[in-house]
Amino acid sequence: MKILAIETSCDETSVALIENGAILANEVASQISLHEEYGGVVPELATREHLRNLVPVSRAAFRRSRLEPDQLDAVATTRGPGLPNALVVGYQFGQAAAFALNRPFLGVHHHEAHLYSPWIGGEPLRADFKRFEPNVSLIVSGGHTLLVHLDGLLEHRVLGSTVDDAAGECFDKVAKLIGLGYPGGPQLDRLAEGGDPEAFHFPRPMLKESHFDFSFSGLKTSVRYFLEKRPGLLETSQSLQDLCASVQAAIIEVLVTKTIRAAKAMEVGLVTASGGVTCNRGLRQGMEEATRKVGLKLQMADKGLCTDNAAMVGILAEIGLCRGRDATHLDSEVIPNWALEDLVEGSSVSRPLRAVWQ
Ligand code: KG4
Ligand code: ZN
């Protein structure tokens, strides 16, 4: 099955072409430099940039894949959650392509797509679901922090999520507070490498509670109070690095501890993780050490696929179509606040198009 996939939910314009689990192309145009001077994503600018980028990015994807549009079997696009107008650009583009080609159209849940990105890997890139097993998955990005239990392919249950800021947002806000540029996460990560994670102690929010929710807004506030009491602390580069390492250690400890606890509670043998924050070297290392210690397997998204991309959208769409998921109406709308909990399995459709790539 050949699928055209589109992702425009935030600040990455991405187009992928998928064939039977293989990723023939996954082009991503990032808008980071555009939003940098504003210190965050400006929705109106993101929307216009998607409009400008979608056709050239699609052309690049088709060129790389050597596919022609009339060879496609279906078109898939992120339907939500995300920035409303940014979503609309990609969604309409996908609907128009499906309409013109007379092919099924699939509106995909962005977080459900993230759940499958740790299964994509190797060179050439392809997804490997022969090895699929029940797992607990951590999604950590600038907009979301979620723990999800996957009992089987397309079967998931949300265990917990953030009650306020996402982990990436916490990285970005702390980075801004200490004068780093946008997005702050990667810069904080680099500075943390030369610092002592035990130099300063910051709270580990909700670490002790037995539920699987997170809260990160208090951590940013405690860093602000901490700095107000110590004017001049950041004047030496070692203290700056120590502060970054200590804040990062607090975020990582909460993420890792809750993920491992959830995996044990759900009695799974595998932990997976994806989303922009999984690029963080400390988190990758923390996850590796913690899973090894308790005998769990770990599968994190490849660094190039942690952040938003259309490959994960296409891979999920392909599994969905093969397993009989309904196509989405061409006159459907985006769902900017779509919660993963509200995604109901739409399997009323006739028969699967084809078995998942044998
Ligand atoms: O998944 P993503 O590209 O976009 C969404 O938010 O959906 O994630 C971006 C987030 C930003 O908050 C960014 O600071 C964070 O991921 N991030 C990192 C690192 N790389 C990206 N946070 C910590 N360490 C990193 N190395
Ligand atoms: Zn995302």
Side-chain angles (χ1 to χ4, degrees), residues 10-12 110 114 140-144 168-169 171-172 183-186 189 248 275-277 279-281 306-308:
C10 189
D11 59 344
E12 263 104 21
H110 180 80
H114 267 301
V140 260
S141 71
H144 303 276
E169 209 174 342
F171 268 105
D172 294 340
D189 181 0
Q248 183 169 297
V277 181
C279 292
N280 184 276
R281 286 168 299 176
C306 287
T307 49
D308 292 345

Side-chain angles (χ1 to χ4, degrees), residues 331-348:
D331 55 2
S332 60
E333 286 185 70
V334 297
I335 314 177
N337 298 319
W338 202 4
L340 192 52
E341 293 91 327
D342 296 340
L343 181 72
V344 282
E345 182 54 61
S347 53
S348 56

Side-chain angles (χ1 to χ4, degrees), residues 24-302:
L24 307 182
N26 180 39
E27 300 294 320
V28 185
S30 169
Q31 303 178 4
I32 283 183
S33 54
L34 174 73
H35 301 288
E36 211 168 5
E37 65 174 295
Y38 303 97
V41 178
V42 183
E44 177 65 18
L45 293 182
T47 304
R48 288 163 183 245
E49 194 67 3
H50 287 312
L51 270 173
R52 258 195 297 271
N53 286 343
L54 253 179
V55 168
V57 171
S58 302
R59 278 199 213 285
F62 274 105
R63 245 193 330 268
R64 189 182 294 274
S65 70
R66 299 179 187 279
L67 287 184
E68 295 296 330
D70 62 7
Q71 292 177 277
L72 296 172
D73 295 294
V75 180
T77 308
T78 304
R79 187 177 184 186
L83 300 171
N85 290 335
L87 285 167
V88 167
V89 176
Y91 205 65
Q92 272 210 320
F93 187 89
Q95 286 175 322
F99 174 74
L101 295 165
N102 195 22
R103 298 290 193 278
F105 172 74
L106 247 96
V108 169
H109 193 291
H110 180 80
H111 295 148
E112 192 183 23
H114 267 301
L115 295 176
Y116 295 93
S117 60
W119 298 90
I120 304 171
E123 197 58 53
L125 282 179
R126 61 178 301 127
D128 182 5
F129 293 110
K130 289 207 185 82
R131 296 184 295 109
F132 184 88
E133 58 177 286
N135 60 83
V136 159
S137 194
L138 173 72
I139 303 178
V140 260
S141 71
H144 303 276
T145 306
L146 283 167
L147 263 177
V148 185
H149 176 212
L150 279 97
D151 212 10
L153 276 174
L154 304 184
E155 286 168 31
H156 63 254
R157 188 165 68 89
V158 177
L159 302 173
S161 60
T162 181
V163 297
D164 42 53
D165 289 355
E169 209 174 342
C170 182
F171 268 105
D172 294 340
K173 286 179 174 173
V174 171
K176 198 170 180 179
L177 200 66
I178 58 178
L180 306 178
Y182 171 84
Q187 300 192 40
L188 206 141
D189 181 0
R190 266 192 299 279
L191 285 166
E193 201 173 24
D196 174 6
E198 290 174 11
F200 311 116
H201 184 80
F202 291 104
R204 271 63 173 158
M206 292 190 175
L207 184 66
K208 299 253 158 61
E209 281 92 327
S210 58
H211 58 69
F212 300 116
D213 286 335
F214 301 90
S215 163
F216 288 107
S217 67
L219 184 52
K220 167 205 64 196
T221 312
S222 72
V223 175
R224 198 174 69 233
Y225 289 149
F226 176 86
L227 288 173
E228 276 169 13
K229 281 193 211 136
R230 294 167 185 77
L233 180 91
L234 299 180
E235 276 160 24
T236 73
S237 70
Q238 189 56 50
S239 320
L240 174 64
Q241 292 177 50
D242 287 347
L243 181 86
C244 290
S246 303
V247 172
Q248 183 169 297
I251 300 174
I252 291 172
E253 188 179 340
V254 176
L255 293 173
V256 171
T257 308
K258 290 219 158 191
T259 306
I260 302 283
R261 206 184 285 151
K264 282 187 182 159
M266 296 303 121
E267 299 180 344
V268 297
L270 173 69
V271 164
T272 69
S274 63
V277 181
T278 29
C279 292
N280 184 276
R281 286 168 299 176
L283 178 61
R284 294 186 90 87
Q285 200 184 330
M287 279 289 200
E288 272 157 27
E289 285 167 8
T291 47
R292 198 179 320 120
K293 209 162 138 196
V294 295
L296 284 165
K297 281 179 279 180
L298 174 68
Q299 209 166 295
M300 300 187 89
D302 276 3

